[in-house]
Amino acid sequence: MIDVKPVLPAEIISTILDFLPIPDLMNFGRTSKRMLEMVYEDSRWVQRLQIMGVWNEGEARKRFEEALKMKREMMRIRAEEEGKRTGIGVNGSAGLRKTSTTLFDAGVEEERQRRSGEMASKSKTSLDGFETLTLSSPAQVAMAPITRAPMLDPEALLNVFSMVRSIRGSARQEFGRIYAALAPFYYDLARSRSHMDPVIFRVYRDPEQQAQMLSHLQVFARSDWSQGWRQREEKLTTMVGIFENAVLREFEQGYEAWDIDGRMRRYAHVLGVLNGGHAGIELFVQKHPIFSDREILGTPMDCINHASADGIALQPSHEFFERLAAKVEEQRAIIDRVFPVGQDVFQIFLDKVGEDILMEYVTPLFDEAHERSIPSYLKAVAGIFEQTLRFAVTLQPSKSSGPDFADKVKAVVARVFEPHVDLFLQEELDHFKKVAESEVGNWENKLSAQEATTESFFMANFNRQADKKDFLTSFKKVVMMPVNVLPSLPIVSPFATKTAPALQVVNRSNLQPPSPGLSPGPSRPQTPGLGAATDRTSTPLPSEAPTDELAAKAALMASKLEGIRSLFSIEVALDLTHAAKASIERAALFIRLGGQTGEEAREQCEAIFVNLLQIVGSRHVKGGFDKAVDHLSKYNPREVSEHQQGVAPLVTFLELVNVGDLISQMIDVFYEQQMAGPRLSDRNDFLDPAVKAKKKFEQMLDERVAAGLNKGIDVLMDEVEYLCATIQQPTDYNPAPAADGKAQDFDIGPTKAAEQVVHLVESHTKMLTGSTDKNMLDVFNQEVGLRLFTALCKHLKRQRISVDGAIKLISDMNLYFLYIRTLKNQDLLEYFKALRELSQIYLIDPKHAKEMAEVIADGDRFHGIFRAEEVYEFAERRADWYTVKRDVERAMYGIGCVAM
């Protein structure tokens, strides 16, 4: 019995077949039907087509689905025909017709089967690329020439890959066509001994055709897995290299002769067909004269030699980029003429420009500027970067540039400046810190030098809200003018023939407000002009303090804010804001680079803003408030020899609240325009460093204002009690009776003491209007009102009030009530309504003691503010109390009544 069990598993046999030469593979298929099926397996040939990159799985799936759909449609039509055929002759009358139709159809079916058999036999002998193979041993294959299919002409062979179709079940036939077209050239080239032997160079004479066929052979070589494939691939690579060198020589000769539309264009296309043309592109870029003649574009040291010590001249760099832009545009046109579409040569050229020209220009310039001075270095980096970005905007894409051309150009700029960004950002932050500390330190030094000789003058009666509104309007329009690193250049063509008259970095000296005719200037004069501390011509002080009230008002009006000179300066805050704005705008330029560099630049901008708040807040403003609160704590009205219209330390503090609020609003405007507007900071992110610093600054300001206001209320009430004790005369509420016994003519107006108290309190509360938020203002006014109510109650309990003097008292209470009503606090108004009602008990005649008792005992009359016992205590201050006391107590408590 013969054992038919295979020696090797089918999987191993299938793997071995993958590494057989094509002729041996065909011979193997002849051994048995099972082996033929294994050789003809479609996936085997699909794999070879895929590795050559000519099989489209999507197209194959689509064709398969269409064929399946067509087959189903044919089956449906055939089923319908069979149904019609069996349905005829159901009755007997149609029997003859059925027989004739059946005979006719059978003949047709017979003819159809015969034709299909002929077609099947023809398909077995049809050409699939393998019919001309010499099925012999590998040794004989190596010696015998492989003949080419006679129906394929050389021109058609060049398009063999374009005619490949992705059809499932036909992969073997498609690969056979490729094999028939390319295998003769491939194996002939593998047997050649020199570059003159291959038949490919005799069949094809044009370099374009030779390059295309060599390119096809390189693709075909990927499907060669049989023994000796490495030697054949090396021979092919060697031959392609010889051909490429010959084409490169022709291209180089055309390059040297500047034959753009002739040899350069022709051989660049040949190289492109051969292997993408990378060698030609490299030769074009490396030998370009623009990289060897860089001196004609300009030298970087001109920017330093033509500038001041702390400045940088950007006119030479502007001219450099102008000439470079013209050169690059000229080369872009040449590249489009020479190289075929699809080769992005212009981008490679730009990469070389960035590496060999831009980097070599900026690096020595930045190094020299850094050694010279930090301000010039910062201006140089920011200015050159801005010019580089404008240069990048002017670049136009070539025909082969992709849609991401702008991003690639930005990447070139990023590679040029990335080595310098970290140092620049750190130097920018350190420079701002140094400038800010120096600004505040100079102000403190100048202040300490003049503190011994400078007097403080105060002014409270001017419209702070309107002044601050005008100042902030001017701050937004003038102070917040763009601190551009560069003057505005036209974006479309920044390198036009007409150059700007002065292309220099804008510095602080250029940031002066325009003339009054251009924009409204601030109505608030300059606060402590420390610049004027040594030169007192701006706000001259009198040689001695004014003696009369009119002279004092004039002197105070002339120096509205001179009183807070010793606390903090709004000019210093403005200067620090300007310095922070300039630093942030320079650092923010690098955010455009994106990625990690852009994020680092954004974080550095936030760090500059945080340092601004720390120096302005903790170093400058906080100290001023602490000094003001300390002055308030030491104030004693009884130690002051001359009392002016206001409490001097409290006026100073309230002025300080105004200026502090103004600085806070400046910081808020600065944050919105410089940080939140350009999206350097997210105002909704409570973890953002800038937001946290801003809230901390505002919290510090609120805490200092709250502490000062609490102390200020104490001082204000001390002053109120002092005025009541010194100005209120005993005869105001208890006038002496007329000598002749006739009725006196009384002035029904308020007393001088009440008028001065109301004026004092009103002037100080109005100073806060527009300075703080409404909640704090309401709390302050309510506390002042309650403390004033308490002070007046204490004052009344120290007075003797007659019936005649009650008219003055009622007038005073009405004056206090009218003032409290202006505060628009309904709860507070109830207290002074009760106080006004309380004053009525002094107007009751002694004969109406019973009615007086009813008023004292009526709790609803005072809305629960005063209890009956408290009203009784106030009634005891009547001048005739001992006369009416017995009758009042009898009416109230029933003293003297006997229960029956």
Side-chain angles (χ1 to χ4, degrees), residues 505-566:
V505 176
V506 180
N507 51 28
R508 285 287 293 116
S509 62
N510 303 122
L511 293 176
Q512 299 301 325
S515 61
L518 297 178
S519 66
S523 60
R524 181 187 287 268
Q526 290 187 347
T527 52
L530 281 187
T534 54
D535 182 8
R536 305 297 299 175
T537 57
S538 58
T539 54
L541 291 176
S543 57
E544 57 183 16
T547 54
D548 59 332
E549 184 178 350
L550 182 61
K553 283 186 177 181
L556 295 173
M557 183 70 72
S559 54
K560 288 181 179 179
L561 295 178
E562 291 291 336
I564 63 170
R565 181 191 298 108
S566 61

Side-chain angles (χ1 to χ4, degrees), residues 220-238:
F220 177 74
R222 300 175 193 166
S223 65
D224 182 13
W225 306 329
S226 59
Q227 186 177 8
W229 66 269
R230 190 180 301 275
Q231 290 77 11
R232 291 188 290 273
E233 185 179 10
E234 289 177 356
K235 184 62 70 70
L236 176 61
T237 303
T238 302

Side-chain angles (χ1 to χ4, degrees), residues 221-440:
R222 300 175 193 166
S223 65
D224 182 13
W225 306 329
S226 59
Q227 186 177 8
W229 66 269
R230 190 180 301 275
Q231 290 77 11
R232 291 188 290 273
E233 185 179 10
E234 289 177 356
K235 184 62 70 70
L236 176 61
T237 303
T238 302
M239 200 60 63
V240 170
I242 293 173
F243 178 80
E244 184 180 29
N245 290 334
V247 176
L248 273 177
R249 283 195 297 271
E250 295 294 332
F251 178 80
E252 186 175 5
Q253 291 174 5
Y255 195 10
E256 292 174 353
W258 207 243
D259 187 6
I260 296 174
D261 296 319
R263 283 181 290 177
M264 286 182 67
R265 175 181 173 82
R266 180 184 183 185
Y267 291 107
H269 283 67
V270 171
L271 291 170
V273 172
L274 180 64
N275 54 13
H278 300 294
I281 296 172
E282 187 71 18
L283 177 65
F284 176 83
V285 172
Q286 293 294 337
K287 295 194 65 174
H288 202 283
I290 192 174
F291 301 111
S292 57
D293 300 335
R294 286 176 292 184
E295 289 76 11
I296 62 175
L297 298 175
T299 58
M301 292 301 107
D302 292 340
C303 297
I304 294 180
N305 297 334
H306 298 166
S308 59
D310 289 338
I312 191 75
L314 295 179
Q315 179 64 30
S317 60
H318 174 75
E319 296 173 354
F320 166 81
F321 283 106
E322 183 182 38
R323 289 189 287 267
L324 182 60
K327 290 282 187 183
V328 171
E329 178 63 22
E330 177 185 349
Q331 297 310 310
R332 182 190 64 81
I334 293 175
I335 288 172
D336 285 341
R337 289 162 57 187
V338 171
F339 293 94
V341 177
Q343 299 179 2
D344 196 0
V345 183
F346 187 54
Q347 186 60 48
I348 300 175
F349 180 76
L350 289 180
D351 293 340
K352 185 71 172 177
V353 168
E355 181 179 350
D356 286 6
I357 295 181
L358 293 181
M359 195 170 289
E360 294 297 329
Y361 183 85
V362 302
T363 300
L365 173 60
F366 294 165
D367 292 343
E368 183 65 26
H370 189 271
E371 293 180 1
R372 190 177 187 183
S373 68
I374 296 300
S376 64
Y377 169 75
L378 299 177
K379 295 172 185 176
V381 174
I384 299 298
F385 179 73
E386 180 73 11
Q387 286 183 337
T388 308
L389 289 180
R390 293 180 181 273
F391 161 75
V393 170
T394 62
L395 298 178
Q396 299 296 322
S398 65
K399 295 179 181 179
S400 301
S401 298
D404 57 346
F405 173 75
D407 295 335
K408 290 183 177 179
V409 173
K410 185 188 293 186
V412 173
V413 177
R415 286 195 295 272
V416 172
F417 283 88
E418 272 180 357
H420 309 283
V421 171
D422 291 340
L423 178 61
F424 167 78
L425 294 177
Q426 187 60 44
E427 291 289 359
E428 187 69 75
L429 179 60
D430 295 341
H431 176 68
F432 172 73
K433 289 181 181 179
K434 182 178 179 181
V435 169
E437 294 286 349
S438 174
E439 187 83 19
V440 176

